[in-house]
Amino acid sequence: MTVPRGVDEASVPTDPLALAASWLPAAADAPGPTMTLSTVGLDGYPDARTVLLSLFDGERLHFDTDSRSRKAAELAAVPRAAVTLHWPEAARQLVVVGDVAPVSDHEARAAYAARTRYLQVLAWVNDHASAADAPARRREAWAAFGRERAGTDLEPPSTWAGFALTPVRMVFWRGATDAASNRLAYHRRADGSWSWESWPG
């Protein structure tokens, strides 16, 4: 543990998961904010996209996607990722790096049920074939699906897949207008405990 000069060690939270819980929405508010999910591409280059935080369960950050997607293939090859959440109005940023594993069917279905109707429909009709269609044809397919399923609760499609990231590193950035910004970087030890360092902002 590195305690820089001028930092009150007693004021630094010892549990980054508890600190993350104070920054992230409660489970009852799921799905949560958008976050940038970064993976290792199949070509070896980094890959990134924006996804919804489905849930923070106090230990893991959940997200969901199509099992046919590029990110699902990348996670199958290298089950590690980073997520970045940013709250510009609060001058905060959280970067979490860790190991990724599929969630249970129950967890995946609960995440789907918490989605808006638009996002539920999107999970059904947003595939490579529709992406290649002309805009008018995509609108027609969307309207047809809506008519077919009007007034019914949607179940997740068979391609719906949930994942959860277990952190090994968590970096909390806080901005300031009257001082330099700074970051608290937590690293998980082999025994599950956490060490921390203060990094420049």
Side-chain angles (χ1 to χ4, degrees):
M1 179 183 298
T2 300
V3 183
R5 184 174 58 190
V7 171
D8 179 10
E9 182 178 355
S11 68
V12 176
T14 58
D15 183 358
L17 296 171
L19 179 56
S22 72
W23 284 25
L24 295 170
D29 298 325
T34 57
M35 60 186 184
T36 300
L37 171 68
S38 302
T39 52
V40 179
L42 299 180
D43 57 2
Y45 286 94
D47 203 356
R49 77 290 288 160
T50 300
V51 299
L52 275 177
L53 171 65
S54 296
L55 172 71
F56 175 61
D57 63 13
E59 294 286 339
R60 304 176 301 164
L61 291 94
H62 296 235
F63 58 94
D64 296 84
T65 188
D66 192 306
S67 61
R68 301 164 295 180
S69 66
R70 190 177 69 251
K71 55 184 153 320
E74 292 168 351
L75 290 169
V78 181
R80 294 176 175 175
V83 296
T84 303
L85 297 107
H86 185 213
W87 299 269
E89 70 286 352
R92 288 181 174 180
Q93 178 180 273
L94 171 60
V95 180
V96 184
V97 178
D99 301 307
V100 178
V103 302
S104 68
D105 180 66
H106 172 76
E107 290 171 316
R109 292 178 70 85
Y112 183 83
R115 291 290 200 267
T116 64
R117 180 76 175 192
Y118 172 84
L119 292 176
Q120 289 180 341
V121 174
L122 190 67
W124 279 94
V125 304
N126 191 29
D127 55 21
H128 286 287
S130 67
D133 277 339
R137 175 62 191 134
R138 290 200 300 273
R139 288 192 291 270
E140 290 170 5
W142 187 278
F145 185 92
R147 289 192 299 270
E148 179 184 336
R149 303 297 183 93
T152 63
D153 292 332
L154 294 178
E155 294 290 319
S158 60
T159 54
W160 182 257
F163 297 90
L165 184 151
T166 300
V168 298
R169 182 168 72 244
M170 306 181 75
V171 182
F172 298 80
W173 174 86
R174 292 182 179 178
T177 57
D178 58 352
S181 58
N182 76 299
R183 291 181 288 170
L184 282 177
Y186 293 83
H187 298 80
R188 193 190 294 269
R189 301 187 182 99
D191 64 1
S193 63
W194 293 90
S195 64
W196 65 268
E197 296 179 314
S198 183
W199 289 357

